[in-house]
Amino acid sequence: MENSQTEISALGEFGLIDRITKGLELKHSSSVLGVGDDAAKLNYGGTDVLVTTDMLLEGVHFDLTYVPLKHLGYKAAVVNFSDIYAMNGIPRQITVSLGISRRFTVEHIDALYSGIKLACEIYGVDIVGGDTCSSRQGLVISITCVGEGKSGKVVTRSGAKDTDLVCVSGDFGAAYMGLQLLEREKVASAGQKDFVPKFEGKEYLVERQLKPEARRDIVEMLDAQGIVPTSMIDVSDGLSSELMHICKASDVGCRIYEDRIPIDYQTAVMSEELGMNLVTAALNGGEDYELLFTVPLTEHEKVSKIPGVKVIGYITGSGLGCALITRDGSELPLRAQGWNPLKDE
Amino acid sequence: MENSQTEISALGEFGLIDRITKGLELKHSSSVLGVGDDAAKLNYGGTDVLVTTDMLLEGVHFDLTYVPLKHLGYKAAVVNFSDIYAMNGIPRQITVSLGISRRFTVEHIDALYSGIKLACEIYGVDIVGGDTCSSRQGLVISITCVGEGKSGKVVTRSGAKDTDLVCVSGDFGAAYMGLQLLEREKVASAGQKDFVPKFEGKEYLVERQLKPEARRDIVEMLDAQGIVPTSMIDVSDGLSSELMHICKASDVGCRIYEDRIPIDYQTAVMSEELGMNLVTAALNGGEDYELLFTVPLTEHEKVSKIPGVKVIGYITGSGLGCALITRDGSELPLRAQGWNPLKDE
């Protein structure tokens, strides 16, 4: 290795992305919004076309010891749809590229693909292309999703304004707890024949980890209420980290209330069992695939009517930073300790 | 592994793709053409939008012993542009997903990315998104390209008609010979300090392998001549294999002449040195990234004026199969023994 080389872990995922995308210019008129949001925004024939892509690598993003291939396919597709919904768009097409190592059989790939197809059927998305090749290095899945935005209604991360309400769908931390549970049972099962994992009373956690859904329903209900969020993002890396993305992109601060963060009962039980801080898990767990968005204060009544949506705080001016207001009323600065595989390595 | 499992090598890449994409339906009106061509054809706002994707895996598609990272980035982008040109379209945007293992430094990724950026600059393409994550085993590159088609002028593989002329750009077999040369020098260099590879007089072969170009010029010249090919494909897997794709998709046969296949002098010298059959290498070598297309017989004069384009044969009725007419006038059936990594494994 040459001299003066920098370890990637020194920068982390976001640092590396910042570095390689620095100075990128959009030169063609059909490129409206590039790197830095949940999806790129293009414009073809006057229509907003959204493009997002996700790569999943065996041993980094999934462990086939406990992830069924059909679920993996389903999740790989859904996480892309989630990025399109986060732009207030509708996913329309995907391409699927697979790198397949020798230990996989045709039947394995059938199972993986059946999950991808099921997700596409449920969300009304067409599979229009892809690439298939052999891999020396386990299973590689790269999916790109093309979506459509309604004219003038595409929502980015950068429109949050002082006094806007911070809203979320669903609940947080369950997928992370599901991962802890699956890892625990994997360890417990080591070397045992006929091992039966203990998932009773924790089915929701397992489902949130293995078979997440994208919040199409929320995007549809917002539209039905005539609400266009001022900013939106999907929660893949953890609520705290995503909130900071919105605040940075919008040049604002925020305050969210600890006691308003929606957390499922099973998540709380599991966190108790593991001796983990529940709020930390909910703020930083990641893989929730819920929507985090802001709306003007004037939409309070309308947004409160949407089932599954909760107002958890508000946007402030930019100088005030991002903070959590705890149950006892004190302010803790939010930290982005979201899931960061390049730093964890 | 469960019972009655089928090795993927039993099907090969194309067999596996056929199996997993069988019965795929396009349900949304914006999906015009799905799996089975160089790119998918979508329609947004009345504009034809083309989407193609390619995955490159270390140890399968490239060997970093002799492939400089900058060249690799350049090639990874260009092969996608080539797919868009093969639809008679213009590449506009790409997304770039990278899986990076620990042995790569920030400077390595800078080099890789500089090649991608250079290709984008030269071909007028914007980088609009991507994904970056850690990999446990080597470098993974997945690029998706979005292109634009002129109204009514997108060209697929399926429009070739009896009596059409079969045309190609450039020459064939050079990239394959470049690979043989690089592999030979790699073996020769093993364990030697200050080894200087012998590339004199073979620079063209090395360049064709390491830094291919996409034939934008041909697409532009066809347009300038007012020619819309009846079918087109880019030659990535070998001329023979691609010709058979066109004939299968168009339900026609073809005859091509051995003595009309364009081959560079350096390719011939190298094939002599290696004791390989030159025509076999030109027909099956792959990675030429030239365009193979058909035009109506009436365009003979116009197409012959385009520099770098050569008529190599003609299309026949479907019952007649695909054959090479050798120098002595005999007919040899064409075989698709193109590069097939899933079968080679």
Side-chain angles (χ1 to χ4, degrees), chain A residues 17-202:
Chain A
I17 292 172
D18 281 351
R19 180 179 173 120
I20 59 187
T21 61
K22 201 175 152 184
L24 279 187
E25 287 170 42
L26 301 181
K27 292 183 178 166
H28 197 263
S29 60
S30 61
S31 312
V32 183
L33 180 70
V35 172
D37 223 295
D38 290 88
K41 179 176 154 186
L42 315 180
N43 193 290
Y44 282 103
T47 298
D48 286 330
V49 177
L50 306 166
V51 181
T52 184
T53 190
D54 261 298
M55 182 182 272
L56 299 178
L57 303 175
E58 187 176 354
V60 176
H61 299 95
F62 56 88
D63 182 339
L64 292 175
T65 321
Y66 53 76
V67 177
L69 282 160
K70 185 174 178 179
H71 286 69
L72 177 63
Y74 190 89
K75 183 170 175 175
V78 160
V79 300
N80 277 284
F81 304 161
S82 182
D83 279 322
I84 299 292
Y85 290 124
M87 303 291 287
N88 206 29
I90 307 163
R92 296 293 192 204
Q93 289 92 16
I94 56 168
T95 61
V96 179
S97 291
L98 301 178
I100 306 166
S101 67
R102 292 184 80 157
R103 70 176 213 279
F104 293 92
T105 64
V106 171
E107 289 73 14
H108 289 138
I109 304 307
D110 282 347
L112 177 73
Y113 228 82
S114 71
I116 298 174
K117 284 179 179 169
L118 179 63
C120 285
E121 207 177 293
I122 289 174
Y123 288 87
V125 172
D126 292 329
I127 301 173
V128 296
D131 193 10
T132 307
C133 52
S134 66
S135 152
R136 296 267 163 101
Q137 40 215 9
L139 186 60
V140 178
I141 308 172
S142 178
I143 293 184
T144 298
C145 185
V146 177
E148 189 173 350
K150 276 198 189 174
S151 181
K153 292 189 173 175
V154 168
V155 176
T156 67
R157 301 177 178 180
S158 62
K161 302 253 176 332
D162 192 5
T163 77
D164 278 357
L165 300 171
V166 175
C167 310
V168 293
S169 66
D171 58 73
F172 294 85
Y176 176 76
M177 287 302 169
L179 182 63
Q180 303 310 310
L181 176 62
L182 287 161
E183 290 282 350
R184 184 179 78 178
E185 296 303 296
K186 177 188 169 183
V187 171
S189 76
Q192 289 193 50
K193 258 194 179 175
D194 304 322
F195 177 81
V196 181
K198 290 187 192 121
F199 294 151
E200 309 85 22
K202 300 196 174 66

Side-chain angles (χ1 to χ4, degrees), chain B residues 110-249:
Chain B
D110 283 347
L112 178 73
Y113 228 81
S114 71
I116 298 174
K117 284 178 178 168
L118 179 62
C120 285
E121 207 177 294
I122 289 175
Y123 288 87
V125 172
D126 291 329
I127 300 173
V128 296
D131 193 12
T132 307
C133 51
S134 65
S135 150
R136 294 272 160 100
Q137 301 96 351
L139 186 61
V140 178
I141 307 171
S142 178
I143 293 185
T144 298
C145 184
V146 177
E148 188 172 354
K150 276 200 190 173
S151 183
K153 292 190 174 175
V154 168
V155 176
T156 67
R157 299 176 180 182
S158 61
K161 302 253 176 332
D162 191 5
T163 76
D164 278 358
L165 299 172
V166 175
C167 309
V168 293
S169 66
D171 59 74
F172 293 86
Y176 176 77
M177 287 301 169
L179 182 62
Q180 303 310 310
L181 176 62
L182 288 161
E183 289 282 350
R184 185 180 78 178
E185 295 305 295
K186 177 188 170 184
V187 171
S189 74
Q192 290 194 50
K193 259 193 180 177
D194 306 320
F195 178 81
V196 181
K198 292 188 190 117
F199 294 150
E200 309 85 21
K202 300 196 173 67
E203 294 80 2
Y204 179 67
L205 306 180
V206 175
E207 192 179 335
R208 290 284 282 178
Q209 172 56 227
L210 294 183
K211 193 165 172 287
E213 299 292 346
R215 298 309 302 259
R216 170 171 58 174
D217 56 340
I218 300 294
V219 168
E220 289 172 352
M221 287 188 285
L222 284 167
D223 192 47
Q225 289 287 337
I227 300 175
V228 180
T230 50
S231 71
M232 189 148 61
I233 194 168
D234 80 322
V235 181
S236 51
D237 287 343
L239 181 56
S240 181
S241 165
E242 311 296 2
L243 200 46
M244 292 178 77
H245 281 313
I246 280 189
C247 288
K248 191 181 170 190

Side-chain angles (χ1 to χ4, degrees), chain A residues 235 238-245 282-284 334-337:
Chain A
V235 180
L239 181 57
S240 181
S241 164
E242 310 297 2
L243 200 46
M244 291 176 77
H245 281 312
L283 283 175
N284 301 297
L334 283 181
R335 287 185 305 159
Q337 57 183 50

